[in-house]
Amino acid sequence: MIRFECDYSEGAHPKIIRILTETNFKQTAGYGDDEYCEKARSLIKEACGAPQADVHFLVGGTQANRTVISSILRPHQGVLSAFTGHINIHETGAIESSGHKVLTLPCPDGKITAEQVENAYQEHWSDETHEHMVQPGMVYISNPTENGTIYTKSELTSLSEVCKKRGLPLYMDGARLGYGLVADTNDLTLEDIARLCDVFYIGGTKAGALFGEAVVIANPALQKDFRYFIKQNGGMLAKGRMLGLQFLALMEDGLYLDISRHAVGQAMKLKRALSDKGYRFLYESYTNQQFPVMPDAHLDALSQKYAYSFWEKIDDAHSAARFCTSWATREEDVEKLISDISAL
Amino acid sequence: MIRFECDYSEGAHPKIIRILTETNFKQTAGYGDDEYCEKARSLIKEACGAPQADVHFLVGGTQANRTVISSILRPHQGVLSAFTGHINIHETGAIESSGHKVLTLPCPDGKITAEQVENAYQEHWSDETHEHMVQPGMVYISNPTENGTIYTKSELTSLSEVCKKRGLPLYMDGARLGYGLVADTNDLTLEDIARLCDVFYIGGTKAGALFGEAVVIANPALQKDFRYFIKQNGGMLAKGRMLGLQFLALMEDGLYLDISRHAVGQAMKLKRALSDKGYRFLYESYTNQQFPVMPDAHLDALSQKYAYSFWEKIDDAHSAARFCTSWATREEDVEKLISDISAL
Amino acid sequence: MIRFECDYSEGAHPKIIRILTETNFKQTAGYGDDEYCEKARSLIKEACGAPQADVHFLVGGTQANRTVISSILRPHQGVLSAFTGHINIHETGAIESSGHKVLTLPCPDGKITAEQVENAYQEHWSDETHEHMVQPGMVYISNPTENGTIYTKSELTSLSEVCKKRGLPLYMDGARLGYGLVADTNDLTLEDIARLCDVFYIGGTKAGALFGEAVVIANPALQKDFRYFIKQNGGMLAKGRMLGLQFLALMEDGLYLDISRHAVGQAMKLKRALSDKGYRFLYESYTNQQFPVMPDAHLDALSQKYAYSFWEKIDDAHSAARFCTSWATREEDVEKLISDISAL
Amino acid sequence: MIRFECDYSEGAHPKIIRILTETNFKQTAGYGDDEYCEKARSLIKEACGAPQADVHFLVGGTQANRTVISSILRPHQGVLSAFTGHINIHETGAIESSGHKVLTLPCPDGKITAEQVENAYQEHWSDETHEHMVQPGMVYISNPTENGTIYTKSELTSLSEVCKKRGLPLYMDGARLGYGLVADTNDLTLEDIARLCDVFYIGGTKAGALFGEAVVIANPALQKDFRYFIKQNGGMLAKGRMLGLQFLALMEDGLYLDISRHAVGQAMKLKRALSDKGYRFLYESYTNQQFPVMPDAHLDALSQKYAYSFWEKIDDAHSAARFCTSWATREEDVEKLISDISAL
């Protein structure tokens, strides 16, 4: 079985294994208060052109989302999100569990617009009985989205402007951020993101780390007491250095983007092959996730040798599937898959 | 600086690093649904003599406590705990954050008694207005406690009996369980614990793993839907196999107890040296944490070369400190410390 | 200004004022543990043909919904509800605040179907990663709905069957239950409701009481410890007898239904007048709320003398409004309104 | 049975019944947005000398405490309170249910001191690992306390100063505020309280109203969006005018203090009789609650004719009991009780 069903099927990039091994017997303080974390934080702030930012390392994405969102909202506020947002669908209600409603906006492809945010704001505040409703308190976006799509600089700028105007902190879930940054269609840099978002995270789990997400709180007004939130939400790793070490490896010498480029390169090869075969795509993705709509018979045939994610039923004879590549995807496996697809 | 201030100053036992390295490129399913986790779960159930148990791997202790406790209690119930219990003092209110009061019982050394539990139960239910008060819903103990003390089989049996009688699930926080199991004064086995407790966890983070705690739900009535709770509480590791791999290493060939024996052996050497020097101890610990009461001048002198934890002020000239050993404690470092103490 | 914008513009039915006055100096125990409450509970159980039921008096609807729902769900579960359900829209996230997601189902007129519930159940459990999603744990309906529509016996029976089959307690929000029970199109009795629902409440606030909702827990499995939930949610009235006294007045001599008949009778007169005028209705309501779609100019004209609720914009020149009647609606005021409408 | 076990055994002061009756058919807007509430708010602000204050009417004390506290704290913060504070003991964990730990301070008689608050603050912030502990975020006091004791102006001033210095909002639970304001030993005015506390409430339920507490948010920084919190916590009464009407009656012509004076006068008569009999008191109370320590045989004898609250067992033959007076306590009943006590 060759696995394309997600981007976390293997361990970690060898450089990460190496740095963990090399430093294994070094004694350090716990809870992220060590030199490796300190150095990794510096590298990230530098890469983001954000010396004023606070950087915190958390273990996983659901934890990061829950921790960030609960640190920002007051109890009567909710978070605006695409209906398809990870926080709305795939986190077992972690946001609600911390007391907040996810205020969903419809979207065809995982992205929401500045206009939708402005309308939601207007709709709330123009209602006479607004205190009977959850108040929009911040905006959550994912980039790339759960559908593989990405925001343009223009779109993110518009979102950022309406958020600033309406006092709604803008938070970007970057679980797969690297795969977005290297996409052909991308025109955003880490500096742009740090300037346009109040908080975002650079995903490690899905981009070469054993685990770990680097939360960047770019807006100083939102930095206060954040470590309490990490601890309360169960995210304060005793051996916190492991998070620092992994991000040290990822941020040095451009490894994070190299990894992402490899994955997206393989995904684009696959995309062309799927397209050549005549399949359409559910979403226009130029990142490491591809969503072809295929005959069920073809999907069944592939499932003998390949793991992919079933996405949704399209009609009686077709379904959409998700194929993912990652830092660890082997060129030869992609070639095999392409060849088997052509032969269908 | 030689560190004795905690038991998580280094990385992981070399066997763990090795197994992570060796399996790094193997592809597996995510979220703990892989063969390594499956095998580790089997080994743990076997070691506990508890084939009916469910075993889940979580990342850290606060997360494990919060996840287990919130899975057991109904909203109007609280958890009985020693005042010094980790959940009451050192988890930034994670239990309260999930809606539950920690109902504290006084204790001189971290341990609570069956009688205290029975009294708390009686006190609640004999009050006419009991519905105006939080209902005791379960019992939390740590073993070893935060003070290094351990429960005897007789004590745990009594606790278990009153808990069963009163319908209060008994949960043991085993963050340092290994160090308790190998103590000279211990008469409990994993089988005993699995039989006497409803839920407990075998701590990895403080006993040789990079991170990870193995939650054993021995009582089938408490097993339902537990994976939802893990996910909601941010503890569902995408690359869950890393938890399985680490516990596989720990549970094979008795490594977990070997590690613990090493640590406790070093602690006992230190204990004798401290005792020979004439210091008294704040708590009678035969595990890897020692709490000598020392002249402040002595502590200051040691702090030039050694890291320890300040515990509490005793009087104008004395304080209690905590010294920890671990799997990674080097015999030569303990010898140095002992020699420097003798010379004070 | 004559008010038709809601059904709580006045105080209480005179019988309620009278009973409160007459018993004012009587001493009783607090918190609902008095003879008036006891008698009212008996009358309600009798009216529902449900001797096994528990009846509790709460102050308001949001409180009742939050208290009931949080007493039923485990933390990883959510409540299925029409998108337009009061808990989803107009309770400032009270349900989420207690940790639970509202799992919404689309609906044209406030009602959901057994098929929708079955599909939602299937969709959840057939997903391989269902533990990453909120588990449906119960079903919430309102009857009459927020749109004035009501469930038929056949519809409620189907809902009840699927709920029983799938282990999802069925809860009916009866804020305006009386107005439904007396509707021409209604074929449900209190006995039916007590048999088909696990929990429901008989609304007092909007049907002649100063305040108060009678929660009927028909399913014994859901009765345990409910008074704790009332207290924790701030709903345990010290002078609880006031709730008992009001429901005593309402349940004696059929006052509750008499009140409702008066209100619905006035609403039907208004409905005919609106219909005669040629307005269409947003929802087909035979209860005390009417939702005509009217020219904005007409609405503006009426607003000089009458209060109504703006409901939603229909097009550039039309809007839907809500007109409510109640126990206190004066026939002469309805006549005036009808006459003014005819003259538009 | 003559009831002295609490101060909410009867309905409401006749003036309140009268105003409710007189205004019963008047139509008003809902949710406290009516002229009666507006007028009552004005009277309260005037009485407090606090034109900048916001006044909100809530139904009960637990609800008020939960709503106020959850509006002030961030999730990682707790509320400092006397161990005996109502929020810690008698609200079924309502505060924890909203996510916050009650950080208890020991106290002999229900009162805490400025020094205790300062020490708790210091203890938290001087700990290196303070983010592992709940951060003190505000201070809760009750006045009179649950033990009938009251704060002097000097004590409250000291508390206020340390709270301001440390950024901890000071909140006073005034469930029985009137009974404190008229005590012989009191030197605090409403103006003092509004100046020294950030938030407090004037209790109605226990002082002559059917129900209701007037929350005064004196500190403008804490006023934002408070109505959302009321609604979310189930405290937004549809017929909100009833709260306004009751406080209108209480605040006009000094009724609130008159009621309180009557109750405290009766309590002082009883206090003298108990003292004359040779009983000691558990707490030195000059308010409407008295806590004599009496032979169990005497208590048993009285229980044939009188209801009182059992407070706590003192020794094998003695217990403390609580006797309360209220606006409705009849002089003749107190005389009877005194006479029966003398005869014991």
Side-chain angles (χ1 to χ4, degrees):
Chain A
M1 184 66 60
I2 304 176
R3 293 182 174 276
F4 290 99
E5 94 267 37
C6 69
D7 29 24
Y8 37 86
S9 296
E10 293 88 359
H13 190 277
K15 278 201 185 167
I16 283 178
I17 298 294
R18 195 184 316 142
I19 199 170
L20 290 176
T21 306
E22 285 171 2
T23 59
N24 191 50
F25 289 97
K26 186 84 168 51
Q27 288 194 318
T28 62
Y31 302 115
D33 195 15
D34 63 85
E35 65 194 278
Y36 305 122
C37 284
E38 200 41 58
K39 181 118 187 263
R41 286 191 279 261
S42 289
L43 287 180
I44 288 170
K45 287 195 270 187
E46 202 177 311
C48 297
Q52 87 293 349
D54 267 6
V55 177
H56 299 275
F57 300 114
L58 277 86
V59 173
T62 296
Q63 191 180 84
N65 289 336
R66 177 187 173 117
T67 304
V68 167
I69 290 169
S70 73
S71 81
I72 292 177
L73 295 179
R74 292 184 73 203
H76 63 303
Q77 296 178 322
V79 51
L80 288 164
S81 162
F83 183 83
T84 52
H86 205 258
I87 56 169
N88 190 47
I89 303 289
H90 271 113
E91 303 191 350
T92 319
I95 303 307
E96 290 83 3
S97 166
S98 67
H100 303 287
K101 196 179 188 71
V102 180
L103 301 164
T104 59
L105 302 171
C107 64
D109 64 352
K111 289 163 63 179
I112 56 173
T113 66
E115 194 188 357
Q116 286 181 295
V117 170
E118 174 67 16
N119 288 348
Y121 179 91
Q122 292 292 355
E123 203 179 324
H124 178 80
W125 286 102
S126 65
D127 193 303
E128 273 177 36
T129 58
H130 51 75
E131 65 248 25
H132 292 235
M133 290 175 291
V134 174
Q135 185 186 96
M138 66 182 289
V139 173
Y140 164 95
I141 56 174
S142 37
N143 188 45
T145 68
E146 297 73 12
N147 300 332
T149 53
I150 56 174
Y151 286 87
T152 64
K153 193 188 291 194
S154 157
E155 291 167 342
L156 190 64
T157 302
S158 298
L159 267 171
S160 182
E161 283 168 0
V162 70
C163 284
K164 280 197 174 55
K165 185 174 166 195
R166 298 314 187 181
L168 302 169
L170 177 59
Y171 168 52
M172 178 188 285
D173 175 337
R176 296 188 171 94
L177 189 54
Y179 303 129
L181 291 176
V182 304
D184 270 0
T185 51
N186 176 62
D187 61 355
L188 279 171
T189 62
L190 273 180
E191 287 94 333
D192 292 331
I193 291 169
R195 186 173 41 83
L196 297 171
C197 295
D198 294 276
V199 188
F200 64 101
Y201 80 81
I202 301 173
T205 301
K206 293 173 178 167
L210 287 172
F211 59 88
E213 326 294 331
V215 172
V216 181
I217 309 183
N219 181 346
L222 301 176
Q223 294 171 352
K224 199 175 173 197
D225 290 345
F226 193 75
R227 278 174 64 85
Y228 288 86
F229 286 86
I230 300 177
K231 179 67 184 167
Q232 186 177 73
N233 282 283
M236 184 77 86
L237 207 60
K239 299 180 178 175
R241 71 204 230 167
M242 272 183 303
L243 289 160
L245 285 164
Q246 294 187 81
F247 274 94
L248 205 50
L250 289 172
M251 299 311 288
E252 273 178 342
D253 306 326
L255 181 62
Y256 187 63
L257 295 187
D258 284 350
I259 279 176
S260 302
R261 254 178 232 114
H262 169 78
V264 172
Q266 300 304 314
M268 289 306 100
K269 268 198 271 184
L270 179 58
K271 183 184 177 74
R272 278 188 297 275
L274 293 162
S275 186
D276 289 351
K277 183 73 183 176
Y279 303 145
R280 74 174 178 92
F281 294 89
L282 200 56
Y283 314 111
E284 264 312 297
S285 163
Y286 293 90
T287 61
N288 77 316
Q289 302 182 88
Q290 294 299 320
F291 301 85
V293 176
M294 297 169 62
D296 291 335
H298 290 193
L299 282 168
D300 284 352
L302 289 182
S303 72
Q304 305 304 311
K305 289 170 61 180
Y306 304 97
Y308 54 83
S309 293
F310 170 80
W311 201 252
E312 67 179 54
K313 195 128 197 67
I314 299 297
D315 62 32
D316 278 0
H318 296 78
S319 297
R322 184 183 72 163
F323 290 82
C324 293
T325 57
S326 80
W327 66 274
T329 302
R330 295 191 308 173
E331 196 148 5
E332 64 206 77
D333 288 343
V334 175
E335 298 299 342
K336 260 188 248 173
L337 174 60
I338 287 176
S339 153
D340 284 338
I341 286 170
S342 311
L344 284 169
Chain B
M1 184 67 59
I2 304 175
R3 293 182 173 276
F4 289 97
E5 94 266 38
C6 69
D7 29 24
Y8 38 86
S9 296
E10 293 88 1
H13 189 278
K15 277 199 185 168
I16 283 178
I17 297 294
R18 194 184 317 142
I19 199 169
L20 290 177
T21 306
E22 285 171 1
T23 61
N24 191 50
F25 289 97
K26 186 87 166 52
Q27 287 193 319
T28 63
Y31 303 115
D33 195 16
D34 63 85
E35 65 193 279
Y36 305 122
C37 285
E38 200 41 58
K39 181 118 188 262
R41 285 192 280 261
S42 291
L43 287 180
I44 288 170
K45 288 195 269 187
E46 202 178 310
C48 297
Q52 87 294 349
D54 267 4
V55 177
H56 298 274
F57 300 114
L58 277 85
V59 173
T62 295
Q63 192 179 83
N65 289 336
R66 176 188 173 116
T67 305
V68 167
I69 291 169
S70 72
S71 80
I72 292 177
L73 296 179
R74 290 184 74 204
H76 62 303
Q77 297 178 321
V79 51
L80 288 164
S81 162
F83 183 84
T84 51
H86 204 260
I87 56 169
N88 190 46
I89 302 290
H90 271 113
E91 302 190 353
T92 320
I95 303 307
E96 290 83 1
S97 166
S98 67
H100 304 289
K101 197 178 187 72
V102 180
L103 301 164
T104 59
L105 302 170
C107 64
D109 64 351
K111 290 163 63 180
I112 57 173
T113 67
E115 194 187 358
Q116 286 181 295
V117 170
E118 175 66 16
N119 289 348
Y121 180 90
Q122 293 292 354
E123 201 178 325
H124 178 79
W125 286 102
S126 65
D127 193 302
E128 273 177 37
T129 58
H130 52 75
E131 66 248 24
H132 293 235
M133 290 175 292
V134 174
Q135 185 186 97
M138 65 181 289
V139 173
Y140 164 95
I141 57 174
S142 37
N143 187 46
T145 68
E146 297 73 12
N147 300 332
T149 53
I150 56 175
Y151 286 87
T152 64
K153 193 187 291 195
S154 156
E155 291 167 342
L156 191 63
T157 302
S158 299
L159 268 171
S160 182
E161 282 168 1
V162 70
C163 283
K164 279 198 174 54
K165 185 174 166 196
R166 298 314 188 181
L168 302 170
L170 177 58
Y171 168 51
M172 179 188 285
D173 176 337
R176 295 187 171 94
L177 188 53
Y179 303 129
L181 291 175
V182 304
D184 270 0
T185 52
N186 176 64
D187 62 355
L188 279 171
T189 63
L190 273 179
E191 286 93 335
D192 293 330
I193 292 170
R195 186 174 40 83
L196 297 170
C197 295
D198 295 276
V199 188
F200 65 102
Y201 80 82
I202 302 173
T205 300
K206 293 173 178 170
L210 287 172
F211 60 88
E213 326 294 331
V215 172
V216 181
I217 310 182
N219 182 345
L222 302 177
Q223 294 170 353
K224 198 175 172 197
D225 290 344
F226 193 73
R227 279 175 62 85
Y228 288 86
F229 286 86
I230 299 177
K231 179 66 185 168
Q232 186 177 73
N233 283 281
M236 184 77 85
L237 208 58
K239 299 180 178 175
R241 72 205 228 166
M242 272 183 303
L243 289 159
L245 285 164
Q246 294 186 80
F247 274 94
L248 205 50
L250 288 172
M251 300 311 288
E252 274 178 342
D253 307 324
L255 180 62
Y256 188 64
L257 295 186
D258 284 350
I259 278 176
S260 301
R261 254 177 232 112
H262 168 78
V264 172
Q266 300 305 314
M268 289 305 99
K269 268 198 272 184
L270 179 58
K271 183 184 177 74
R272 280 188 296 274
L274 292 162
S275 187
D276 290 350
K277 183 74 184 178
Y279 303 145
R280 73 176 179 90
F281 293 89
L282 200 56
Y283 313 110
E284 265 312 297
S285 164
Y286 293 89
T287 59
N288 76 317
Q289 302 182 88
Q290 295 298 320
F291 301 85
V293 176
M294 296 168 61
D296 290 335
H298 290 193
L299 282 168
D300 284 353
L302 289 181
S303 71
Q304 305 304 312
K305 288 170 62 180
Y306 305 96
Y308 54 82
S309 292
F310 170 81
W311 201 252
E312 66 180 55
K313 193 126 200 69
I314 299 296
D315 62 30
D316 277 0
H318 296 79
S319 297
R322 183 182 73 162
F323 290 82
C324 293
T325 58
S326 80
W327 66 275
T329 302
R330 297 191 307 173
E331 195 148 6
E332 65 206 75
D333 288 343
V334 175
E335 298 300 342
K336 258 188 248 175
L337 174 60
I338 287 176
S339 153
D340 284 338
I341 287 170
S342 311
L344 283 169
Chain C
M1 183 69 57
I2 304 175
R3 294 183 173 273
F4 290 98
E5 94 266 37
C6 68
D7 29 24
Y8 37 85
S9 296
E10 293 87 1
H13 190 277
K15 278 202 184 166
I16 283 178
I17 299 293
R18 194 184 317 141
I19 199 170
L20 290 176
T21 306
E22 285 171 1
T23 60
N24 190 50
F25 289 98
K26 186 85 166 54
Q27 288 192 318
T28 62
Y31 303 115
D33 195 15
D34 63 86
E35 65 194 277
Y36 305 122
C37 285
E38 199 41 58
K39 181 119 186 263
R41 284 191 281 260
S42 291
L43 288 180
I44 288 170
K45 287 195 270 187
E46 202 177 310
C48 297
Q52 86 294 349
D54 268 4
V55 177
H56 299 274
F57 300 114
L58 278 85
V59 174
T62 296
Q63 192 178 85
N65 289 336
R66 177 188 172 115
T67 304
V68 168
I69 290 170
S70 72
S71 81
I72 292 178
L73 295 180
R74 291 184 73 205
H76 63 302
Q77 296 178 322
V79 51
L80 287 164
S81 163
F83 183 83
T84 51
H86 205 258
I87 55 168
N88 190 46
I89 302 289
H90 271 113
E91 302 189 353
T92 320
I95 303 307
E96 290 83 2
S97 165
S98 67
H100 303 288
K101 196 178 189 72
V102 180
L103 301 163
T104 58
L105 301 171
C107 65
D109 64 352
K111 290 164 61 180
I112 56 173
T113 67
E115 194 188 358
Q116 285 182 294
V117 170
E118 174 68 14
N119 288 348
Y121 179 90
Q122 292 292 355
E123 202 178 326
H124 178 79
W125 287 102
S126 65
D127 193 302
E128 275 178 34
T129 58
H130 52 73
E131 66 247 24
H132 294 236
M133 290 176 291
V134 175
Q135 185 184 98
M138 66 181 290
V139 173
Y140 164 96
I141 57 174
S142 37
N143 187 46
T145 67
E146 297 73 12
N147 300 331
T149 54
I150 56 174
Y151 286 87
T152 65
K153 192 188 291 194
S154 158
E155 290 167 342
L156 190 63
T157 302
S158 299
L159 267 171
S160 182
E161 283 168 0
V162 70
C163 284
K164 279 197 173 56
K165 185 174 166 195
R166 298 314 187 181
L168 303 169
L170 177 58
Y171 168 52
M172 179 189 284
D173 175 336
R176 295 187 171 94
L177 188 54
Y179 303 128
L181 291 174
V182 304
D184 271 359
T185 52
N186 176 62
D187 62 354
L188 279 170
T189 63
L190 272 180
E191 288 93 335
D192 294 330
I193 292 170
R195 186 173 40 82
L196 297 171
C197 295
D198 295 275
V199 188
F200 65 101
Y201 80 82
I202 302 173
T205 301
K206 293 173 178 169
L210 287 172
F211 59 88
E213 326 293 332
V215 173
V216 181
I217 309 184
N219 181 346
L222 302 176
Q223 294 171 353
K224 198 174 174 198
D225 290 345
F226 194 74
R227 278 174 63 84
Y228 288 87
F229 286 87
I230 299 177
K231 179 65 184 168
Q232 186 177 74
N233 283 282
M236 184 77 87
L237 207 59
K239 299 180 179 176
R241 73 204 228 167
M242 271 183 302
L243 289 160
L245 285 164
Q246 294 186 79
F247 274 94
L248 206 48
L250 288 172
M251 300 311 288
E252 273 178 342
D253 307 324
L255 180 62
Y256 187 62
L257 294 186
D258 284 349
I259 278 177
S260 302
R261 253 177 233 113
H262 169 78
V264 172
Q266 299 305 314
M268 290 304 100
K269 266 198 272 185
L270 180 57
K271 183 184 178 75
R272 280 188 295 274
L274 292 162
S275 185
D276 289 351
K277 183 72 184 177
Y279 303 146
R280 72 176 179 92
F281 294 89
L282 200 55
Y283 314 109
E284 264 312 298
S285 164
Y286 293 90
T287 61
N288 77 317
Q289 304 181 88
Q290 295 298 320
F291 302 84
V293 176
M294 296 170 62
D296 291 334
H298 290 192
L299 282 168
D300 283 352
L302 289 181
S303 72
Q304 305 303 312
K305 290 170 60 180
Y306 305 97
Y308 55 82
S309 292
F310 170 81
W311 201 252
E312 66 180 54
K313 194 129 198 66
I314 299 295
D315 62 32
D316 277 0
H318 295 79
S319 297
R322 184 183 72 163
F323 290 81
C324 293
T325 58
S326 80
W327 67 274
T329 301
R330 298 191 305 173
E331 194 148 6
E332 65 206 73
D333 289 343
V334 174
E335 298 299 343
K336 258 189 251 174
L337 173 60
I338 287 175
S339 154
D340 284 337
I341 286 170
S342 311
L344 283 170
Chain D
M1 184 67 59
I2 304 175
R3 294 183 173 274
F4 289 98
E5 94 265 39
C6 68
D7 29 25
Y8 38 87
S9 295
E10 293 88 0
H13 190 278
K15 278 201 184 167
I16 282 177
I17 298 294
R18 194 184 317 142
I19 199 170
L20 290 177
T21 306
E22 286 171 1
T23 60
N24 191 48
F25 290 97
K26 185 86 166 53
Q27 288 193 318
T28 63
Y31 303 115
D33 195 16
D34 63 86
E35 66 194 280
Y36 305 123
C37 285
E38 199 42 56
K39 181 120 187 260
R41 285 191 281 261
S42 291
L43 287 179
I44 288 170
K45 287 195 270 187
E46 202 176 311
C48 297
Q52 88 294 350
D54 268 4
V55 177
H56 299 275
F57 300 114
L58 277 85
V59 173
T62 295
Q63 191 179 83
N65 289 335
R66 176 188 172 116
T67 304
V68 167
I69 290 169
S70 72
S71 81
I72 292 178
L73 295 179
R74 291 184 73 203
H76 63 302
Q77 296 179 321
V79 51
L80 287 163
S81 163
F83 183 83
T84 52
H86 205 259
I87 55 168
N88 190 47
I89 302 291
H90 271 113
E91 302 189 353
T92 319
I95 303 307
E96 289 84 1
S97 166
S98 67
H100 302 288
K101 195 177 188 75
V102 180
L103 300 164
T104 58
L105 302 170
C107 64
D109 64 351
K111 289 164 62 179
I112 56 173
T113 66
E115 194 187 358
Q116 286 180 294
V117 170
E118 173 68 14
N119 287 348
Y121 179 90
Q122 291 292 354
E123 201 178 326
H124 178 80
W125 286 103
S126 64
D127 193 302
E128 273 177 37
T129 57
H130 52 74
E131 66 248 24
H132 293 235
M133 290 175 291
V134 174
Q135 186 185 97
M138 66 182 288
V139 174
Y140 165 95
I141 56 176
S142 36
N143 187 47
T145 67
E146 296 73 12
N147 300 331
T149 54
I150 56 174
Y151 286 87
T152 65
K153 192 188 292 193
S154 157
E155 290 167 342
L156 190 63
T157 302
S158 298
L159 267 171
S160 182
E161 282 168 1
V162 69
C163 284
K164 279 197 174 56
K165 185 173 165 194
R166 298 314 188 182
L168 302 169
L170 178 59
Y171 168 53
M172 179 189 283
D173 176 337
R176 295 185 171 95
L177 189 54
Y179 303 129
L181 290 175
V182 304
D184 271 359
T185 51
N186 176 62
D187 62 355
L188 279 171
T189 63
L190 272 180
E191 287 93 334
D192 293 330
I193 291 169
R195 187 174 40 84
L196 296 171
C197 295
D198 294 276
V199 188
F200 65 102
Y201 79 82
I202 302 172
T205 301
K206 294 173 177 169
L210 287 172
F211 59 88
E213 327 293 332
V215 173
V216 181
I217 309 183
N219 181 345
L222 302 176
Q223 295 171 352
K224 199 175 172 198
D225 290 344
F226 193 74
R227 278 174 64 85
Y228 288 87
F229 286 86
I230 299 176
K231 180 65 185 167
Q232 186 177 72
N233 282 282
M236 184 77 85
L237 208 59
K239 299 180 179 176
R241 74 206 226 165
M242 271 183 304
L243 289 160
L245 284 164
Q246 294 186 79
F247 274 94
L248 205 50
L250 289 172
M251 301 310 289
E252 274 178 341
D253 307 324
L255 180 62
Y256 188 63
L257 295 186
D258 285 349
I259 278 176
S260 301
R261 253 178 232 112
H262 169 79
V264 172
Q266 299 305 315
M268 289 306 99
K269 267 198 272 184
L270 179 59
K271 183 183 177 75
R272 279 188 297 275
L274 292 163
S275 185
D276 290 350
K277 183 72 183 178
Y279 303 146
R280 74 175 177 90
F281 293 89
L282 200 56
Y283 314 110
E284 264 313 297
S285 164
Y286 293 90
T287 60
N288 77 316
Q289 302 182 88
Q290 295 298 321
F291 301 85
V293 176
M294 297 170 60
D296 291 334
H298 290 193
L299 282 168
D300 284 351
L302 289 182
S303 71
Q304 306 304 311
K305 290 170 59 181
Y306 305 97
Y308 54 82
S309 292
F310 170 80
W311 201 253
E312 66 179 56
K313 194 130 198 66
I314 300 295
D315 62 33
D316 277 359
H318 295 79
S319 297
R322 185 183 72 162
F323 290 82
C324 293
T325 57
S326 80
W327 66 274
T329 302
R330 297 191 307 173
E331 194 148 6
E332 64 207 76
D333 289 343
V334 175
E335 298 298 344
K336 260 188 246 171
L337 174 60
I338 286 175
S339 152
D340 285 337
I341 286 170
S342 311
L344 283 171

